[in-house]
Amino acid sequence: MTSQHTSSSKAAPTKIVTTSTGRILRISAEEVAAATRAPAAPAAPTAASVDPARRADVLFRVRRDEGHELSAWWMIGAFVVTSGLVILLLSGVPGVA
């Protein structure tokens, strides 16, 4: 796991952590301090720690658990099928070379 610290004059200092699967997590200093102080008591999710991808107004974006990410082969297959469909449909248009 790789980590780096970031800070700016306006934003609260954060720590960026890269997991073994390549997911990049941004953790605030308060979350790091809370995790190191009392790891025994599970904290209830607050508005600040709720994943923004799981908000009610986000329609299609879903952040899945570690190890359950969508395979890149689905996107490659969708591209091949869409390209084949476009070529098939354009082959029926008269006057196209």
Side-chain angles (χ1 to χ4, degrees):
M1 195 179 316
T2 308
S3 65
Q4 84 185 50
H5 292 279
T6 61
S7 64
S8 67
S9 61
K10 295 181 182 179
T14 60
K15 182 177 182 181
I16 297 174
V17 178
T18 305
T19 63
S20 59
T21 58
R23 179 170 292 197
I24 299 172
L25 303 174
R26 183 173 292 146
I27 303 170
S28 68
E30 294 85 21
E31 291 174 347
V32 172
T36 57
R37 268 188 285 137
T46 61
S49 66
V50 173
D51 189 2
R54 299 191 187 277
R55 295 182 318 204
D57 61 336
V58 175
L59 189 58
F60 293 114
R61 185 177 53 181
V62 176
R63 198 165 287 165
R64 293 176 172 80
D65 295 331
E66 289 286 332
H68 293 281
E69 289 87 4
L70 187 64
S71 174
W73 288 106
W74 284 104
M75 297 297 118
I76 294 169
F79 174 77
V80 169
V81 168
T82 304
S83 300
L85 184 62
V86 167
I87 292 170
L88 180 71
L89 290 173
L90 286 177
S91 67
V93 176
V96 177

